[in-house]
Amino acid sequence: MIATQENTMKDTDIKRLLYTHLLCICSIILSIFIPSFFLENFSILETHLTWLCICSVSVTAVNLVLYLVVKPNASSKRSSLSFKVTRFVKCCVYFLMSCFTFHVIFVLYGAPLIELVLETFLFAVTLSTFTTVPCLCLLGPNIKAWLRVFSRNGVTSVWENSLQITTISSFVGAWLGAFPIPLDWERPWQVWPISCTLGATFGYVAGLFISPLWIYWNRKQLTYKNN
Amino acid sequence: MRLGSGTFAACCVVVEVLGVVLFLRGFFPAPVRSSSSSKHQAEPPAPEPSAGASSNWTKLPPPLFSKVVIVLIDALRDDFVFGSKGVKFMPYTTYLVEKGASHSFVAEAKPPTVTMPRIKALMTGSVPGFIDVVMNLNSPALLEDNVITQAKAAGKRIISYGDETWVKLFPKHFVEYDGTTSFFVSDYTEVDENVTRHLDKVLKRGDWDVLILHYLGLDHIGHVSGPSSPLIGRKLSEMDGVLMKIHTALLSEERETLLPSLLVLCGDHGMSETGGHGASSTEEVSTPLLLVSSAFERKPGDIRYPKHVQQTDLAATLAIGLGLPIPKNSVGHLLFPAIEGKPMREQLRFLHLNTVQLTKLLQENVPSFEKEPGFEQFKISERLHGNWIRLYLEENNSEVLFNLGTKVRRQYLDALKTLSLSLSRQVAQYDVYSMVVGTVVVLEVLTLLLLSIPQALSSKAELEVPLLSPVFSLLFYLTFLVLSAVHVIVCTSTESSCYLCSLSWLTAGGVMVLVSALLCAVVSALTKVLVRGKLLSKNAAHSNSRWSELDLLILLGTLGHVLSLGASSFIEEEHQTWYFLVSTLCLALCHDIYRNYLPGDDCEPQRCLHVEGGFDGATPALQDKNTSSAVLELNRGCKSPSSLGTLRGYEKWMVLASPWVILTCCRLLRSLNQTGVQWAHRPDLGHWLTSSDHKAALSVLAALSLAVIFALIQRRCSPASKVAMALGLLGVYCYRAAIGNVLFPWQQDNKDISKGILEARFVYVFVLGILFTGTKDLLKSQVVAAGFTVKTVGLWELYSGFVLLAALLLRPHNLPVLVLSLLIQTLMAKFVWKPLRHDVAEVTVMHYWFGQAFFYFQGNSNNIATVDISAGFVGLDTYVEIPAIFLTAFATYTGPVLWASHLVSFLSSEASRITAGDRSLDSPEGLLEGRSPCHRALS
């Protein structure tokens, strides 16, 4: 009886997960096409920075809205306004910190230190949008929970599982995106950081696609620790 | 036959090297060259052949042209001149081609279609072999016999404007030059204006004999926007204007002189459809060659179509045209239309000179030259020529003379064509048979090695090599017979020379025995593995060991690097691959550390998220690992997250910070030396430091680096070598100060710069001393069986000896590379590998990655030009070959060598730590403190 209930819970969760992910993908696709109606000469490659801004803003917005609507981890305790405000401020600080951390990591990976600072930073912002924002939405500013989710066997729900997959695929996408840079094809998208941002975006979209399917496929084997 | 793992590996390496050498011998055929090519003294030219009557024409014929202008347009494809583009954009040139006094050809360039080898081919007439690169490592200057050197020797005044490759190839040959670089590919106007701006002045002056103009703009346009870009048309029109200007100037000047002048328009290589070059597609190898001179006057209606010739033919033609001896290594033949207008006697004389030169080259390179058809034709034509001369001197009837002359001429031309063909075939031919045998040997050894890895790495560290039993098997004899038959057939049937066939029968038989024995060994090892695999799959279904992310990264990274070598730009930019991998490795280590050590993370085994069947593909490998890596795993089983508790506060923070420190170090080193191709011109710290304005900064940096090196290296040395190390490092600074790289504080101006022989030898004494102590310790540990500690000390001494040698040989601005390498090694050993207990395989691969990255941090690249030759002269008065080669090789491979020797010393110290730990299990604190066994041995 309980088992069947759990199963149905999981199935509805997976369905909701799929819909939210489809919405996220839509937001990215729209961020490519909608601005060209309002802005002249808009294209991903030519006005890359504008696109980066639009894309990260729209993905953040969609994530926040979805979080407020779907409420995946229904926190039972009612919290005061001040708690919510501090939580929000904390989230913002965390987001900024993750942007700067990513920026530092890019520079350590070999991004130019002084030239192209804006490009590098916007890439960091985009990558944070794809990874940190969902984490903050789902887990809140709670380092321990993050570490738990990203250690090997620490996932406790379908949502966290999908979070793990999308985050890792965004990172891997950004990582793979660096490969074409040294090739001598002389294409416009080989310039730093365009290939990496595109790679991160593809990785994120792929993660969004794959994670519901993968979870659905493996739903029999997946048993989450009840807490 | 039982063998120790080490012996087996050594044997494999030896056989592997043999195979590679065999392959390379087939892949790089020896270039065709005259044995006397190093000497530049002029040999007397071949006298005119004569039968009976004596001809007195033994001197070189006089030049045909007073002035020669060579206009070389980079990446000029044949259809840019002869095709529709030429008609549209180069009207003047088209007029010259169709109606003017000119001869036009389509010259075929041999790959690699890159500028420098092409210039060499144009000027020497030879086809540069790949072996050439190794032969003149010492100087980029062209040492082979060539037209420019001959012209200079003959007192001609040569001027060169354009690509600075010319200036590099022919230093001190030009009375005036202005080199333009081809670094900035996006610049396609200024490079050419820098050439053209000299034209007016030079053409007016006329105090020169040879003018070389090398225009780079077209190539740059091709690289940026391809051959169909509208910019190409504009550039071609510009070039047309330049040609017109030169031609009119030459014509107006010709009226004052007796001899006509020659204008040569050529391209060094073509341009592919994407705008690049380097390979051997038709577009890349077809270049136009246009000879314009009033000597080539033609009657109206005389239509000349561009003939197909070789690029190497230009050298011989130019030499004849300027009245110079033909370059000795030239394989080209004279472009006959250029001398068509001359009297018959001169024509024959030129052809004879060219044939003699080619025959000489053939004699020196082909052992059985008498059988070559070209040689026979040469003999016939020489005899006919002699007869003709006799008739000529007897002043016979002119018609008979003319007819006979035509016959001789045809005979000569045939001979030339055959000779040239057989010579260039000699160069461009791979020795496929040797290559195949080499490949087979290499692959067999590789398979054997892979198959025996599980056994060789097992606890006994020895393995059964199935070699004896197969030797007496039927398979072995059958393979041997088949191979011998193949060998006989191949060697008797091919006309070309083949390295394996030129070996003695005994040696070739040895190779065959080797190949078939290896084959048998592989087959028997394979069956063994299969049998064992079947057994294992029955009882090893439940293995719960999984590969960690780090293992996966290491495996995929190494594989990915190997795959990346398939793309030429990844080879050019290989350093980027290694930097990227090393950075990723640091982040992965960071992840590992934080997961294990961050407070609050309870890593108790959680029974959630079991994914079955996710690692299906990896299971056989896992089983192998499982069954065989008993010794590999240094106590891995007891890897407990609680080990953090035993680490003290400072050490814990060091563990957490060390990946970031290492990442920062790598980033700093990365900006020290820019290498590769695409970004090599970017400003870097190394250039900033070496510029003379920043000598003080460099001195401070060098002194600081040497001090840090001492601080890092001394902690595990014996007192004697500590002193030696300190004195040695002091000597290094003195050496650098003596040769003027750095300053002493009390010496503000660099007054006297010596070669620093004394100082360098002072350091060498200490290097040898430390190395000697280390070797002595090693030998002692082998003989007396004194245990691991003595061995560890000995290995560390050897390592520190290498560090001292590296400090001496590396340029002062590269000393930070050494310092940071030592720092990273210390950090890794102390705070990453020991606390995290990585196994031997992981540590080894990480050492390999870092070693490769440090090779590039030093400023090396896969381009041979980045090798620092100056290291070979440290402490030597003159060039002494063996030490120079050794020192240069060591300085080049400092990074990999230091990391390899650190690996050996680290592994030995780990092993001794573990045996010590086994003996004194009751005091685990001593283990975790990270105190070196070396220290303990001393105290």
Side-chain angles (χ1 to χ4, degrees), chain A residues 102 127 131-132 150 166-176 200 203-204:
Chain A
F102 281 140
L127 195 58
T131 57
T132 318
F150 291 105
T166 50
T167 309
I168 289 175
S169 61
S170 313
F171 282 137
V172 171
W175 191 77
L176 290 177
Y204 181 56

Side-chain angles (χ1 to χ4, degrees), chain B residues 484-745:
Chain B
S484 309
V486 168
H487 182 76
V488 170
I489 292 170
V490 167
C491 288
T492 46
S493 65
T494 52
E495 304 122 23
S496 60
S497 67
C498 161
Y499 177 66
L500 264 187
C501 298
S502 63
L503 288 175
S504 73
W505 279 100
L506 210 61
T507 329
V511 173
M512 297 304 136
V513 168
L514 185 71
V515 169
S516 33
L518 280 172
L519 184 73
C520 292
V522 165
V523 167
S524 79
L526 201 65
T527 46
K528 241 182 224 175
V529 165
L530 282 180
V531 168
R532 202 182 307 136
K534 228 175 249 171
L535 283 178
L536 275 177
S537 60
K538 278 177 194 156
N539 55 11
H542 45 80
S543 67
N544 55 357
S545 127
R546 282 173 55 174
W547 284 22
S548 68
E549 288 88 347
L550 197 70
D551 289 339
L552 221 58
L553 171 71
I554 281 175
L555 190 73
L556 290 182
T558 311
L559 277 181
H561 166 252
V562 172
L563 291 182
S564 81
L565 296 182
S568 64
S569 17
F570 276 133
I571 298 178
E572 285 167 358
E573 307 287 331
E574 200 190 338
H575 57 292
Q576 304 282 6
T577 317
W578 285 116
Y579 298 167
F580 197 65
L581 284 179
V582 164
S583 304
T584 311
L585 177 69
C586 286
L587 283 189
L589 285 175
C590 188
H591 175 238
D592 231 18
I593 288 172
Y594 282 60
R595 213 175 48 193
N596 279 323
Y597 287 144
L598 219 64
D601 178 27
D602 46 344
C603 263
E604 62 187 86
Q606 286 163 329
R607 46 142 192 88
C608 40
L609 192 71
H610 285 298
V611 186
E612 261 110 42
F615 275 78
D616 264 352
T619 24
L622 286 181
Q623 283 160 8
D624 273 356
K625 197 182 161 159
N626 233 7
T627 50
S628 63
S629 55
V631 105
L632 265 185
E633 308 230 334
L634 295 174
N635 265 354
R636 211 182 181 180
C638 65
K639 180 175 184 172
S640 63
S642 62
S643 60
L644 181 72
T646 58
L647 289 177
R648 277 181 257 118
Y650 138 81
E651 283 193 353
K652 185 179 121 194
W653 287 113
M654 280 311 289
V655 169
L656 293 181
S658 53
W660 298 101
V661 176
I662 294 166
L663 260 179
T664 319
C665 290
C666 289
R667 182 65 179 90
L668 281 178
L669 288 177
R670 198 181 166 128
S671 46
L672 189 64
N673 288 308
Q674 291 279 2
T675 72
V677 173
Q678 281 193 52
W679 296 284
H681 59 274
R682 287 274 194 88
D684 55 20
L685 282 177
H687 279 97
W688 188 84
L689 283 170
T690 41
S691 77
S692 55
D693 302 342
H694 306 115
K695 216 172 194 175
L698 184 65
S699 313
V700 172
L701 185 74
L704 210 64
S705 309
L706 293 173
V708 178
I709 289 173
F710 178 70
L712 285 171
I713 206 88
Q714 52 89 25
R715 67 204 157 85
R716 288 167 65 181
C717 288
S718 60
S721 31
K722 249 182 224 179
V723 175
M725 196 74 201
L727 287 175
L729 289 173
L730 213 61
V732 170
Y733 195 85
C734 293
Y735 168 70
R736 286 296 164 188
I739 64 167
N741 284 348
V742 295
L743 297 169
F744 281 123

Side-chain angles (χ1 to χ4, degrees), chain B residues 734-769:
Chain B
C734 293
Y735 168 70
R736 286 296 164 188
I739 64 167
N741 284 348
V742 295
L743 297 169
F744 281 123
W746 57 85
Q747 158 212 6
Q748 284 310 319
D749 49 340
N750 34 0
K751 45 196 189 324
D752 49 337
I753 290 171
S754 68
K755 283 171 93 178
I757 307 275
L758 195 69
E759 289 87 346
R761 290 190 177 163
F762 176 75
V763 182
Y764 281 139
V765 168
F766 289 112
V767 171
L768 290 178

Side-chain angles (χ1 to χ4, degrees), chain B residues 208-223:
Chain B
W208 44 268
D209 302 300
V210 180
L211 173 64
I212 298 165
L213 306 170
H214 189 140
Y215 284 98
L216 284 169
L218 189 68
D219 186 40
H220 289 186
I221 293 176
H223 279 297

Side-chain angles (χ1 to χ4, degrees), chain A residues 213-225:
Chain A
L213 297 178
W214 190 81
I215 291 170
Y216 182 73
W217 203 255
N218 290 304
R219 67 188 185 286
K220 291 274 154 50
Q221 285 92 34
L222 293 169
T223 50
Y224 297 111
K225 192 170 78 170

Side-chain angles (χ1 to χ4, degrees), chain B residues 189-208:
Chain B
T189 48
E190 213 156 291
V191 268
D192 289 353
E193 268 161 25
N194 278 341
V195 178
T196 313
R197 68 188 163 138
H198 298 285
L199 263 187
D200 285 326
K201 208 168 55 204
V202 164
L203 288 175
K204 212 170 283 166
R205 245 173 33 199
D207 57 346
W208 44 268

